[in-house]
Amino acid sequence: YKNPNYEENRRTMVHLFEWKFADIADECERFLGPMGYAAVQVSPVQENLIISKRPWYERYQTMSYKIETRSGNERLFKQMVRRCNKVGVRIFVDVILNHMTSNKIPAIGTGGSTALTTDKEYPAVPYSKVHFHKTCALKDYSNATEVRECELLSLHDLDQRQEYVRQKMVNFLNSLIDAGVAGFRIDAAKHMYPEDLEIIYGRLKDLIPGQGFPKKSRPFVYQEVIDLGGESVKKSDYNKTATVVEFLFGRILGDAFRGIRQLRELETWGDSLWGLLPSRDAVVMIDNHDNQRGHGAGGSSILTYKTPKQYKMAVAFMLAHPYGFARVMSSFDFNDTNAGPPNDSQENILSPIINTGGTCTNGWVCEHRWPQIYNMVAFRNVVADAAITNWWTNDDDQVAFSRGNKGFVAFNNGNTALRRWLTTGLSAGRYCDVISGMLSGGRCTGKTIDVNENSLALIEILPNDLDGVVAIHGKAKL
Ligand code: AAO
């Protein structure tokens, strides 16, 4: 379950948080496919509890496994998967297996189902009290049994040891595979036993060849296990056969680009020295839908779209560096951390509107459409598996490195100018910096950088430049 099933020359997934299925399908065709994105993570598709004022987090309270949420119904879901697969963009679904809802009377779902939550009766599955662990509140993260068997945030905790429960989950996941999805984010995996999850994964179908997957492809699985150290449940309990979301990644890089650490420290960035999972086991991001708003873990270290200069540098570093399976966050704008996505007076989610410049409005941030980000998605595709070479640092907050002879990046997060001849690894010629602009119709809309016969280029990044990074690669040569 560690192969993301990406099409060749695609390497980055984007989380289109709370987007509607029809909009995702459009986005696959008009933007993600052409720009080289590999996959979309969609918000939970299973029917959820309706909570007043429609906070984003209602989607993490499950009423049934019917595909019907504010993002759309089963028909629209299937259409989206087909249209995205057709343009080479895979769909990963965020699935909630750990729990159903917490108590609420009355409880009505986005698909019209009802439940008697105080009795743990969910007739639309159906689940009843016997399918859950006994009620207890999860308070002590140093006690692994409590983490797995008590209620996270008062959410009724399903017992995956039971055959009946597992089979309901397997059926749900297999129905998504039938629709053509390529994998799953396992929400709150930390709160389930890894051996139970293994059994569930083992019963999943192969991906369906009809939508472009090679025969015998297994679904990609990435499990949400927050492990910043010091707790009883560890990420290393989960990476035997499937991958895990590496939460240390965004916390450390957040600190680095906030100036709490120095960039020069990142020379050794990668797995073991830093306590990170092996690269092939780790899904990584700068921020996610939780920690961009203070939920989950990472606290004030986490960078988001709200501090754009540092954020773009951190995302550029993630995409320039070979470690992990990278995920780009795509947000809606918020001030209230509970607020749901932009919606109309009937509480229907609004579609993003695309400006002529390609950015989004109507309440959507669309970080994935920021040129500094999508051009680095292309950079990651171009440099592929080339190793890091020519690491350079001023021993402070300026660093640069090559990806073999395929690409080169430099960062200046300090207060002094970077103006220096650096080895790029690239062949001689004139390149277009894909951060300040891009190659368009044979012309560079940003800075150009000349690489000489010795592979050296004069690299300049001033402290008050709009962007603290420059990047060039073999496919942006003039
Ligand atoms: C809402 C309300 C709750 C209410 C509940 C039921 O907010 O007050 O009780 O409804 O009525 C989302 C929202 C929740 C929301 C829930 C259901 O975030 O606010 O609850 O939907 O609507 C833990 C889990 C992790 C989880 C995270 C939020 O381990 O799995 O909490 N994330 C996922 C989703 C998330 C979703 C759910 C799970 C539930 O991504 O969107 O919740 O489906 C420690 C632990 C972590 C733990 C955090 C937060 O982290 O290690 O495992 O995450 O605490 O409790 C430092 C430490 C770090 C620590 C952190 C915070 O950074 O180093 O380890 O501090 O203390």
Side-chain angles (χ1 to χ4, degrees):
Y1 316 104
K2 294 188 182 182
N3 179 344
N5 302 300
Y6 290 156
E7 276 214 336
E8 222 173 292
N9 296 323
R10 294 180 186 264
R11 292 179 176 251
T12 304
M13 75 168 106
V14 53
H15 177 21
L16 295 181
F17 180 45
E18 289 271 12
W19 279 48
K20 288 184 288 184
F21 300 147
D23 296 331
I24 295 173
D26 288 345
E27 191 69 352
C28 282
E29 291 169 354
R30 72 188 164 202
F31 189 80
L32 301 174
M35 292 307 180
Y37 278 92
V40 178
Q41 176 185 312
V42 301
S43 284
V45 303
Q46 56 209 87
E47 177 179 17
N48 66 260
L49 176 69
I50 296 176
I51 299 180
S52 65
K53 303 209 193 97
R54 314 309 299 266
W56 63 271
Y57 60 72
E58 70 170 36
R59 294 185 69 159
Y60 290 90
Q61 301 206 29
T62 299
M63 289 288 284
S64 79
Y65 298 126
K66 185 168 160 190
I67 302 180
E68 193 162 358
T69 65
R70 284 207 291 169
S71 285
N73 60 22
E74 185 173 351
R75 183 181 57 84
L76 291 163
F77 175 75
K78 287 180 172 163
Q79 268 174 19
M80 168 192 74
V81 179
R82 213 173 307 116
R83 285 171 63 189
C84 289
N85 275 331
K86 204 169 249 171
V87 294
V89 181
R90 301 312 192 191
I91 298 292
F92 299 142
V93 180
D94 187 357
V95 294
I96 302 145
L97 307 179
N98 179 61
H99 53 263
M100 298 297 278
T101 68
S102 66
N103 285 342
K104 185 175 185 293
I105 307 174
I108 299 169
T110 45
S113 301
T114 56
L116 209 58
T117 56
T118 46
D119 282 350
K120 302 183 184 173
E121 283 288 343
Y122 296 86
V125 178
Y127 285 140
S128 58
K129 199 181 268 145
V130 295
H131 301 120
F132 293 82
H133 287 121
K134 281 208 285 295
T135 305
C136 50
L138 163 51
K139 294 198 200 100
D140 180 8
Y141 275 87
S142 72
N143 178 338
T145 311
E146 190 170 319
V147 173
R148 266 69 173 262
E149 298 187 10
C150 291
E151 295 187 335
L152 165 66
L153 301 160
S154 319
L155 299 158
H156 298 324
D157 199 67
L158 285 159
D159 180 5
Q160 293 81 9
R161 194 117 316 169
Q162 297 182 35
E163 219 17 72
Y164 175 89
V165 173
R166 284 173 190 160
Q167 209 46 49
K168 288 287 170 202
M169 295 175 176
V170 169
N171 293 345
F172 168 53
L173 300 177
N174 277 338
S175 74
L176 299 175
I177 291 176
D178 282 334
V181 309
F184 307 104
R185 169 191 184 265
I186 309 294
D187 183 70
K190 177 186 205 170
H191 305 276
M192 295 178 273
Y193 288 99
E195 52 275 23
D196 294 339
L197 289 172
E198 288 276 324
I199 292 172
I200 292 171
Y201 306 155
R203 292 184 189 163
L204 299 181
K205 299 181 173 180
D206 290 341
L207 303 184
I208 54 163
Q211 293 207 33
F213 302 106
K215 280 214 171 75
K216 301 252 172 250
S217 300
R218 298 298 291 157
F220 182 54
V221 173
Y222 54 109
Q223 306 163 102
E224 189 221 9
V225 180
I226 298 177
D227 178 7
L228 302 180
E231 288 180 21
S232 57
V233 177
K234 311 229 172 301
K235 55 195 175 192
S236 56
D237 302 338
Y238 289 83
N239 67 333
K240 217 165 71 202
T241 63
T243 67
V244 174
V245 181
E246 177 51 270
F247 281 84
L248 268 183
F249 185 94
R251 193 184 67 170
I252 299 173
L253 289 187
D255 282 345
F257 285 91
R258 280 181 185 282
I260 293 161
R261 286 170 176 273
Q262 288 182 317
L263 295 192
R264 69 172 166 81
E265 296 175 49
L266 299 176
E267 177 162 8
T268 55
W269 187 239
D271 24 31
S272 51
L273 263 176
W274 290 86
L276 300 171
L277 287 162
S279 177
R280 62 177 178 283
D281 293 353
V283 166
V284 298
M285 73 275 176
I286 297 302
D287 61 329
N288 77 352
H289 71 282
D290 280 335
N291 62 23
Q292 70 171 192
R293 47 176 52 69
H295 289 229
S300 59
S301 299
I302 300 301
L303 280 167
T304 72
Y305 77 89
K306 289 178 187 283
T307 34
K309 183 172 178 180
Q310 280 69 33
Y311 185 67
K312 285 182 271 188
M313 291 172 77
V315 174
F317 187 88
M318 167 177 80
L319 294 171
H321 195 284
Y323 179 82
F325 294 107
R327 182 177 64 197
V328 166
M329 177 68 203
S330 187
S331 318
F332 57 81
D333 187 30
F334 68 92
N335 291 310
D336 172 357
T337 57
N338 290 328
N343 61 191
D344 65 17
S345 56
Q346 266 83 61
E347 299 185 333
N348 299 307
I349 298 180
L350 296 176
S351 298
I353 293 176
I354 315 293
N355 295 317
T356 35
T359 55
C360 290
T361 164
N362 220 21
W364 300 92
V365 181
C366 292
E367 294 91 321
H368 71 285
R369 279 177 168 268
W370 294 2
Q372 297 90 340
I373 291 179
Y374 69 74
N375 284 326
M376 288 307 293
V377 168
F379 179 102
R380 194 173 185 79
N381 293 341
V382 172
V383 302
D385 293 322
I388 292 186
T389 48
N390 303 318
W391 176 272
W392 170 85
T393 173
N394 69 339
D395 284 326
D396 191 354
D397 271 318
Q398 302 175 359
V399 297
F401 60 90
S402 311
R403 293 292 302 278
N405 59 3
K406 300 211 160 78
F408 170 84
V409 266
F411 297 84
N412 183 1
N413 202 33
N415 303 319
T416 57
L418 162 59
R419 190 179 295 112
R420 214 178 237 279
W421 287 90
L422 294 175
T423 303
T424 64
L426 295 169
S427 59
R430 174 162 288 181
Y431 292 82
C432 184
D433 167 32
V434 297
I435 299 292
S436 57
M438 63 198 286
L439 201 57
S440 161
R443 292 189 42 233
C444 181
T445 61
K447 302 179 197 169
T448 54
I449 294 176
D450 290 320
V451 175
N452 73 15
E453 297 300 317
N454 301 318
S455 198
L456 290 163
L458 181 61
I459 300 298
E460 186 175 64
I461 309 174
L462 307 179
N464 54 2
D465 277 355
L466 216 54
D467 291 305
V469 48
V470 298
I472 53 179
H473 60 70
K475 291 231 168 99
K477 194 172 184 182
L478 283 153

